[in-house]
Amino acid sequence: MKVSKKEEQTKTMGNESVHTDFINNMTYGDYLHLDTLLSSQKRLSGHHDEMLFIIIHQVSELWMKLILHELRTSITSIEAGELSPAFKMLSRVSKIQSQIIHAWDVLSTLTPSEYIQFRDDLGQASGFQSYQYRMIEFALGYKTPHVLKIYQKDPELLSHLQEAYQSPSLYDVSIRALSKAGFSIDDEVLNRDVKTPYQENDSVLKAWTEVYRNTDKYWDLYELAEKLIDLEDWLQQWRFRHMKTVERIIGHKKGTGGSSGVSYLKKVLDHQFFPELWNVRTSL
């Protein structure tokens, strides 16, 4: 009996039929470009533990890429008045953030004695220079012009960063959603220069307070507020774990990128992206 080409490409293994002929078909590895992905871990020192250091940071950058993908679309959705799709995306971001936080647990298995074996090979390269992390900060509203100087080496990358720097943040569009819902928001907030760090405003606090006092009436805005709180809560937990991991591995040495290391990381823990959403808890 003649066997069809399709049957030739399928082998029975146990109770399942598994495709085994991929001469002319795309494989899992092809789809994910695993040849590129898994050949991107280039140790400079040859030290065993440098592989851990590289992979943890690469995995974190992949997760940050997905965070940015979700944040950008959620900003667009909120601007368009479509809050429900944004809720799903922001929930996903929070789940991703939990994964990045757990990555510090793995990196913390690196001891000071092991790290000093290859730290000098890093030169001035540092996580402080992560452009995706900067874009996440920009998307959440924390913008400082001096960080853009780090990326002047790459004009195309700098252009992307400048575009993100000049775009409204997640909080900017959320405040505009308050205004569209009929809340009185000061013009100086609605028309503010989005390239500057956000400053707390009484009219915004009053609006969020009304939302929290009338959750049934403003359920969508209430849910939006809680999604934002989730994001900032997870980000602060990430920052804390980052600081403690750095302290555990290098103590209070300066970072390879020139920052003050632990001292700098402790300072950023005090920054709030959505100040009114934290203060509303006191004003209720």
Side-chain angles (χ1 to χ4, degrees), residues 225-272:
E226 285 298 293
K227 297 299 183 189
L228 297 181
I229 283 291
D230 286 343
L231 291 186
E232 182 158 354
D233 190 351
W234 282 111
L235 185 62
Q236 290 296 64
Q237 290 184 55
W238 182 91
R239 284 173 160 178
F240 179 78
R241 289 295 295 124
H242 183 191
M243 182 268 292
K244 294 307 293 184
T245 302
V246 170
E247 185 175 26
R248 174 172 178 155
I249 296 174
I250 68 168
H252 289 265
K253 295 187 183 79
K254 277 192 173 185
T256 50
S259 73
S260 57
V262 170
S263 297
Y264 169 78
L265 296 173
K266 283 183 177 179
K267 286 179 185 176
V268 298
L269 284 172
D270 293 329
H271 174 261
Q272 290 183 329

Side-chain angles (χ1 to χ4, degrees), residues 9 13 65 78 82 107 130 149 163 170 198 215 226 259 271:
Q9 293 177 347
M13 296 185 179
K65 183 173 183 176
I78 294 169
E82 299 172 355
L107 187 59
S130 169
K149 295 179 181 179
E163 181 181 357
L170 180 62
Y198 177 79
T215 57
E226 285 298 293
S259 73
H271 174 261

